[in-house]
């Protein structure tokens, strides 16, 4: 009995190890090898958004250290839930580069650069910007809805005081990009290390930023699944299908040549 249980356990362990090995190999190629190849092909121009995001955060952080600069940063990218909706939407793109004042800016620069770099090399600039802005905007608008609901609603609502909390920073965009990449590249380990860890942190330390991160993860998953439904249209033609088409073309050519040869022989006779 003990031998049977031990044998079953070893089979389970071997299957889990085999699955992890295949997953790690697939994610290594999808998340590391392919972007590096794109970087070698495109050069530093493939990191334009990553450099722009990193330097933008550093620039606004330095300006905000002075009273006049802090006021300018607030007028350009300061977002709160109690602002008029049109003004919040107008400031949201700049708010991505305005770091939260209570968080160490330098700790997130590496994650910010890596997220935008991988996304730009994998998805392209346009889709990277769309995903970053959409996930950030989803968090901002959903928090406004939660505040409008008020306390209660099975924990979904928020008190009106949350509307005065400064809602800036690229963290929602970063977690959204990592989550989107994990979904479209089918990388569960990357998701657990990025979006999954952010979900756990948001549950363990519930606050306004945590809720926005949860919403950003959810929005990125939806966008990634929608992208996955369109993905088969973009896939290259399989080798077998290409080989079949090539063979059929050769058969047609041979048939036409045979017909022509038969006509020539009949005319000679």
């Amino acid at each position: 009995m003990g031998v049977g249980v031990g044998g079953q356990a070893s089979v389970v362990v071997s299957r889990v190890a085999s699955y992890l090995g295949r997953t790690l190999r697939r994610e290594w190629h999808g998340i590391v090898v392919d972007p590096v190849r794109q970087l070698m092909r495109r050069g530093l121009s493939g990191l334009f958004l990553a450099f722009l995001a990193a330097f933008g955060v550093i620039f606004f952080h330095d300006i905000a250290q002075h009273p006049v600069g802090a006021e300018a940063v607030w007028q350009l990218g300061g977002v709160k839930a109690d602002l008029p909706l049109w003004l919040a939407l107008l400031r949201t793109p700049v708010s991505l580069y305005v770091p939260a004042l209570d968080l160490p800016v330098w700790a997130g620069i590496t994650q910010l650069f890596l997220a935008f770099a991988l996304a730009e090399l994998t998805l392209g600039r346009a889709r990277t910007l769309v995903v970053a802005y959409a996930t950030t905007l989803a968090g901002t608008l959903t928090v406004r809805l939660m505040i409008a609901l008020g306390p209660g609603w099975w924990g979904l609502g928020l008190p009106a005081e949350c509307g005065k909390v400064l809602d800036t920073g690229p963290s929602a965009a970063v977690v959204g990009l990592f989550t989107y990449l994990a979904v479209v590249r089918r990388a569960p380990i990357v998701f657990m290390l990025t979006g999954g860890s952010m979900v756990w942190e948001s549950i363990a330390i519930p606050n306004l930023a945590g809720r926005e991160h949860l919403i950003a993860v959810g929005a990125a998953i939806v966008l990634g699944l929608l992208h996955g439904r369109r993905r088969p249209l973009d896939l290259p033609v399989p080798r077998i299908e290409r080989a079949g088409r090539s063979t059929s073309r050769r058969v047609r050519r041979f048939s036409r040549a045979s017909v022509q040869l038969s006509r020539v022989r009949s005319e000679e006779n």
Side-chain angles (χ1 to χ4, degrees), residues 60-72:
F60 281 107
H61 175 265
D62 290 340
I63 290 179
Q65 303 306 310
H66 307 282
V68 178
E71 179 63 23

Side-chain angles (χ1 to χ4, degrees), residues 33 37 46 65 72 79 82 101 111 120 130-131 133 138 141 145 160 169 171 182 187 190-191 244-245 253:
V33 176
R37 288 175 178 171
Q65 303 306 310
V79 174
D82 59 358
L101 299 178
Q111 292 182 354
E120 184 176 2
V130 168
V131 173
Y133 184 71
L141 295 179
L145 178 61
S171 57
V190 172
F191 175 78
R245 292 179 181 177
R253 292 173 185 170

Side-chain angles (χ1 to χ4, degrees), residues 17-237:
S18 177
Y19 170 77
L20 290 177
R22 293 194 305 269
T23 303
L24 286 173
R25 184 166 55 252
R26 183 177 66 249
E27 293 189 22
W28 172 259
H29 284 277
I31 303 297
V32 178
V33 176
D34 290 345
V36 169
R37 288 175 178 171
Q38 288 292 325
L39 180 60
M40 297 296 292
R41 185 175 64 86
R42 298 168 57 184
L44 291 179
S45 62
L47 302 177
F48 175 77
L49 291 181
F51 283 115
L52 179 63
F55 286 133
V57 170
I58 296 172
F59 174 75
F60 281 107
H61 175 265
D62 290 340
I63 290 179
Q65 303 306 310
H66 307 282
V68 178
E71 179 63 23
V73 170
W74 160 250
Q75 293 296 333
L76 290 174
V79 174
K80 294 181 180 180
D82 59 358
L83 287 176
L85 180 59
W86 67 269
L87 185 57
L89 294 176
L90 187 63
R91 294 180 177 181
T92 297
V94 181
S95 71
L96 291 174
Y97 305 104
V98 179
L101 299 178
D102 58 340
L103 295 177
V105 61
W106 300 105
I109 291 294
T110 303
Q111 292 182 354
L112 172 69
F113 185 88
L114 184 60
F116 274 87
L118 289 176
E120 184 176 2
L121 293 171
T122 304
L123 309 172
R125 290 178 186 172
R127 184 169 294 173
T128 299
L129 289 175
V130 168
V131 173
Y133 184 71
T135 51
T136 301
L137 191 61
T140 299
L141 295 179
T142 307
V143 165
R144 294 175 71 96
L145 178 61
M146 291 179 177
I147 294 175
L149 291 176
W153 295 88
W154 299 281
L156 295 177
L158 291 172
E161 291 77 13
C162 292
K164 301 184 181 301
V165 178
L166 188 63
D167 179 20
T168 60
S171 57
V174 169
V175 68
L177 288 173
F178 275 129
T179 302
Y180 185 88
L181 284 172
V183 173
V184 299
R185 289 293 184 170
R186 294 175 175 83
I189 297 177
V190 172
F191 175 78
M192 293 302 299
L193 294 177
T194 55
S197 63
M198 189 65 69
V199 170
W200 172 252
E201 180 181 352
S202 302
I203 296 175
I205 309 176
N207 52 26
L208 184 63
R211 295 201 181 200
E212 289 196 359
H213 294 160
L214 288 175
I215 297 164
V217 170
I221 291 176
V222 172
L223 292 175
L225 293 176
L226 292 176
H227 170 74
R229 293 182 63 180
R230 296 193 301 269
R231 189 177 180 85
L233 299 178
D234 301 331
L235 289 177
V237 179

